[in-house]
Amino acid sequence: MIRIWLFFVLVVAGLCGVAWATDFVTPQGERTVYTAECERGIWQGAHCTGTLVAGVRHRFRALKAHKEVIFWSVGVATEPSGKFTQCTIHDGRNWVCPAANADAARAVAREMVVGRPVPLRPFHSISKWQWQLLRAGVWVGDDAEPA
């Protein structure tokens, strides 16, 4: 009986770990875009000719009732948060906002489709688990997700 419970606990813990690593479960209306930088090299499409390092995290919070999307860069103290208004919001992973906004220049995206940002300016996204490993100094390859 203890083996069955131990197996069950391990399976549930494994599923929770996968959900966390893939951002399957996120706070209501919120999405984080993890980016990578190419150190001592250049980008050739999604391939880095140098060393891939963890970049800035861009967080978006969709407020459906207010038709607003608030965005900020996590860990960048000098950059204030911004806000899009008059957005069409289905949920935190599917929304679009008009670009006519003073804050738009600081945003990396003004639209999210099935949890993937539609870029306003160039960036190279990676998955959460890759970003965590790069931040810890673990090599995860030389490629980001295709834009």
Side-chain angles (χ1 to χ4, degrees), residues 27-38:
Q28 184 68 28
E30 197 166 292
R31 181 76 175 118
T32 303
V33 177
Y34 298 87
T35 65
E37 301 295 330
C38 186

Side-chain angles (χ1 to χ4, degrees), residues 16-141:
C16 289
V18 168
W20 173 84
T22 60
D23 259 357
F24 181 75
V25 177
T26 58
Q28 184 68 28
E30 197 166 292
R31 181 76 175 118
T32 303
V33 177
Y34 298 87
T35 65
E37 301 295 330
C38 186
E39 204 172 72
R40 294 183 306 278
I42 60 169
W43 287 105
Q44 293 178 337
H47 179 75
C48 172
T49 61
T51 304
L52 204 62
V53 295
V56 177
R57 291 174 289 169
H58 302 278
R59 192 158 292 157
F60 297 88
R61 181 175 294 148
L63 305 171
K64 190 173 184 176
H66 300 281
K67 296 184 179 181
E68 296 176 339
V69 173
I70 300 169
F71 61 89
W72 66 97
S73 298
V74 179
V76 180
T78 59
E79 187 175 306
S81 63
K83 177 170 56 171
F84 289 120
T85 57
Q86 300 175 344
C87 301
T88 303
I89 302 170
H90 181 264
D91 57 33
R93 294 178 181 265
N94 296 283
W95 49 263
V96 62
C97 300
N101 182 319
D103 290 339
R106 293 193 329 268
V108 295
R110 68 174 182 86
E111 182 176 357
M112 194 75 61
V113 178
V114 193
R116 297 187 60 85
V118 177
L120 273 177
R121 59 185 166 103
F123 67 92
H124 293 87
S125 65
I126 57 175
S127 64
K128 181 178 184 178
W129 68 267
Q130 287 175 307
W131 190 89
Q132 292 285 351
L133 289 174
L134 285 174
R135 186 171 173 215
V138 177
W139 182 78
V140 295

